[in-house]
Amino acid sequence: MAQRHTIQSIRDLKTRGEKIAMVTAYDATFARLFDEAGADMLLVGDSLGMVIQGLDSTLPVTMDHMVYHTRAVARGSQKALVVGDMPFMSYQSSIELAMLNAGRLMAEGGAGAVKLEGGERVVPTVKALVDAGIPTMGHLGLTPQSVHTLSGFKVQGRNEKQAARLIEDALLLEDAGAFAIVLETIPLELAKTVSERLSVPTIGIGAGPHCDGQVLVCYDLLGLYDQISPKFVKRFGDLATATREATRAYVQEVKGGAFPADEHSFR
Ligand code: KIV
């Protein structure tokens, strides 16, 4: 049985100067494939609201949804560290609620860590979770659960005041015990500064090449989600076209009577 990544082995990657590859996963089959392909961490992101549930934000995603998908990803993978995302309103109202919900992701979902969004405001929560033995990842910059406060999906940290705030938040999260921090949609210079100032790894998405690792939503990476494509997305495959072509061929063969053939039938 392969040894699963731990928060220590993820931190060691930064120490050794080896980049960290993280990808989102929502089910056991993709989790197994990403694991076999060498992903260091699998993030069961609340982005599942958009790519799995067809919503236009992550806000309606619930704890039950997250536990269900986290359990599937944990079952499908062997080596990657599985990080379960804390959905909107599962940790904002009190530390007690955050503990209860993070505990569910670990105990019921089989996650090895949790992730939550925010800076200074969530620092006491991060500290409490870490003290309770729950490895916690931070998330700064464009935090999708605050899309309405941020007035849309825009680049963050572009002015000096915002940049200084983000650096301060990152240092506070590290002090509180966060084992890594996602930096989403911020200028690459700012991501470079944060990555150099922190001893824990930064994981970038739309934050340039100087982060200690990268994360992409798997449906973007695979070219399955081909409706909107933010500038920072690179499609490493075109599974949308492959899926349409395979399904078209299936439909034609069913309608033409070519499938199922003799070899697919029992006598
Ligand atoms: O929910 C998610 O997939 C995320 C990543 C985009 C970082 O939070």
Side-chain angles (χ1 to χ4, degrees):
M1 186 82 155
Q3 180 85 23
R4 208 184 263 280
H5 260 301
T6 61
I7 58 167
Q8 187 55 51
S9 64
I10 294 294
R11 281 207 210 101
D12 291 346
L13 294 176
K14 172 163 180 158
T15 311
R16 291 206 300 271
E18 185 178 332
K19 294 277 187 184
I20 301 162
M22 187 183 203
V23 59
T24 68
Y26 314 104
D27 67 36
T29 300
F30 274 124
R32 179 173 56 78
L33 297 174
F34 300 149
D35 206 55
E36 287 169 4
D40 298 305
M41 287 193 278
L42 298 179
L43 171 64
V44 189
D46 61 357
S47 50
L48 68 84
M50 294 160 107
V51 296
I52 302 283
Q53 299 176 333
L55 302 165
D56 58 8
S57 86
T58 60
L59 303 191
V61 175
T62 66
M63 267 313 297
D64 286 345
H65 298 152
M66 293 310 305
V67 168
Y68 174 88
H69 288 279
T70 303
R71 197 184 303 131
V73 169
R75 255 192 236 122
S77 59
Q78 292 190 349
K79 290 181 286 185
L81 177 66
V82 175
V83 182
D85 221 355
M86 299 280 285
F88 184 57
M89 281 303 138
S90 67
Y91 59 93
Q92 286 90 341
S93 62
S94 73
I95 291 182
E96 289 69 28
L97 185 68
M99 297 273 256
L100 206 86
N101 284 326
R104 281 193 68 195
L105 281 178
M106 305 283 292
E108 292 175 49
V114 303
K115 173 172 85 60
L116 48 80
E117 299 181 4
E120 191 174 8
R121 215 182 58 77
V122 299
V123 162
T125 307
V126 170
K127 192 165 175 357
L129 293 177
V130 173
D131 285 349
I134 300 178
T136 305
M137 178 181 269
H139 185 159
L140 295 171
L142 200 178
T143 44
Q145 291 174 14
S146 308
V147 61
H148 297 298
T149 320
L150 301 175
S151 304
F153 295 94
K154 295 180 192 157
V155 181
Q156 301 297 306
R158 270 200 156 139
N159 65 49
E160 242 173 72
K161 194 169 158 214
Q162 273 188 0
R165 180 69 261 161
L166 193 141
I167 294 169
E168 184 57 26
D169 283 343
L171 292 168
L172 289 171
L173 287 171
E174 176 174 69
D175 263 7
F179 76 95
I181 300 179
V182 168
L183 299 177
E184 180 163 354
T185 323
I186 62 170
L188 63 88
E189 299 84 353
L190 176 57
K192 182 168 189 284
T193 305
V194 176
S195 305
E196 287 168 354
R197 299 269 308 263
L198 295 185
S199 57
V200 297
T202 57
I203 310 292
I205 174 162
H210 306 295
C211 294
D212 302 302
Q214 298 292 326
V215 58
L216 274 182
V217 169
C218 62
Y219 279 50
D220 289 335
L221 178 161
L222 297 172
L224 267 167
Y225 191 69
D226 60 355
Q227 283 108 333
I228 329 165
S229 183
K231 177 180 158 78
F232 60 78
V233 164
K234 177 169 174 182
R235 293 186 179 135
F236 288 84
D238 184 4
L239 266 62
T241 303
T243 303
R244 280 189 208 100
E245 279 172 3
T247 312
R248 216 170 272 132
Y250 163 74
V251 170
Q252 270 172 11
E253 290 202 11
V254 169
K255 290 190 182 289
F259 176 83
D262 207 43
E263 69 263 32
H264 309 117
S265 309
F266 303 97
R267 287 181 194 277

